[in-house]
Amino acid sequence: YGGNDDPVGPLASQFAGMGVEEVVPALKVKENPTEATYQLFEESGTDLGQVLTKKETLKAMKNAMSPDVAKALGRVSGGLYVVTAAQGTAKSAMIASWIAQASFEPLGFTVAIAKDRAIESLMQVGDKFVLNCLPEQGFEPLMKHFLIRFPPGADRFEGVEWAPASCGAPILKEAAAYMECTVMSRMEAADHWIVYSEVREGKVFKDEKTATHHRKVASYY
């Protein structure tokens, strides 16, 4: 933005004059970029990609399996968790339910992350993150908060009580338990990444079960 680059404003005005709908606001970098700047661009690109592929994605989900298979697979239940990650000034979070323990020694588990999730860029091999277990009682406010479609660059943790783990990722104070983890490997699986991670630290805050998630069909979360 600025310098020898074409001004963003006139270009945006030209697009508006052509009737092109603005999906994400014009991005302007006026100072040296930080991790938060990169996150803003990552999330803006993610939002744009989701809009451009929305129709095709919905069609593919409907055609992926027969109604009977979708209902049968929907009977596979899971817990409810909030995955949080941070790198420098960038922080992100997502609700997750496709999680399963995958090893005893060392203790490890897998989490499935959609390829169009912004947090995916913070969960590469070697990255660290926190898995927060939502409590069976009273999990609804936290779940609803993190299911909000935040605009690019927005603070997902505004209004939420949290403390930083040693890796910097948020530990939610209302969680039943948390685990600090390191990504060890990733496997590509169609529209998701299967991320295998080892647990480094953890603590139980409440003597309470993790909330569970039940679906009627498997064509949506």
Side-chain angles (χ1 to χ4, degrees), residues 20-33:
V20 178
E21 181 182 354
E22 182 181 71
V23 177
V24 294
L27 302 176
K28 304 175 182 179
V29 180
K30 301 179 181 180
E31 300 175 352
N32 290 332

Side-chain angles (χ1 to χ4, degrees), residues 24 39-40 43-44 46-47 50 82 91-95 118 141-160:
V24 294
Q39 181 182 17
L40 171 62
E43 292 174 354
S44 297
T46 296
D47 283 359
Q50 289 176 346
V82 178
K91 297 191 298 292
S92 192
M94 76 168 194
I95 292 289
L142 272 179
M143 183 181 74
K144 290 179 180 178
H145 174 84
F146 287 107
L147 284 176
I148 294 173
R149 189 176 182 83
F150 293 93
D155 182 4
R156 286 161 168 74
F157 300 93
E158 184 177 358
V160 176

Side-chain angles (χ1 to χ4, degrees), residues 105-129:
E105 296 182 9
L107 289 171
F109 66 92
T110 59
V111 54
I113 304 176
K115 291 182 177 179
D116 62 358
R117 288 293 185 94
I119 197 174
E120 185 269 334
S121 65
L122 302 179
M123 298 185 65
Q124 304 298 309
V125 174
D127 288 342
K128 295 177 172 58
F129 67 96

Side-chain angles (χ1 to χ4, degrees), residues 108-194:
F109 66 92
T110 59
V111 54
I113 304 176
K115 291 182 177 179
D116 62 358
R117 288 293 185 94
I119 197 174
E120 185 269 334
S121 65
L122 302 179
M123 298 185 65
Q124 304 298 309
V125 174
D127 288 342
K128 295 177 172 58
F129 67 96
V130 167
L131 180 68
N132 295 274
C133 304
L134 294 184
E136 190 173 40
Q137 301 296 324
F139 69 87
E140 292 88 353
L142 272 179
M143 183 181 74
K144 290 179 180 178
H145 174 84
F146 287 107
L147 284 176
I148 294 173
R149 189 176 182 83
F150 293 93
D155 182 4
R156 286 161 168 74
F157 300 93
E158 184 177 358
V160 176
E161 290 189 86
W162 62 277
S166 61
C167 66
I171 299 171
L172 305 182
K173 292 191 175 182
E174 293 301 316
Y178 87 94
M179 286 150 278
E180 187 171 344
C181 319
T182 301
V183 177
M184 304 306 294
S185 63
R186 290 160 48 103
M187 182 180 75
E188 190 171 9
D191 50 6
H192 283 68
W193 287 101
I194 310 302

Side-chain angles (χ1 to χ4, degrees), residues 41 66 73 137 195:
F41 274 73
S66 69
L73 186 56
Q137 301 296 324
V195 178

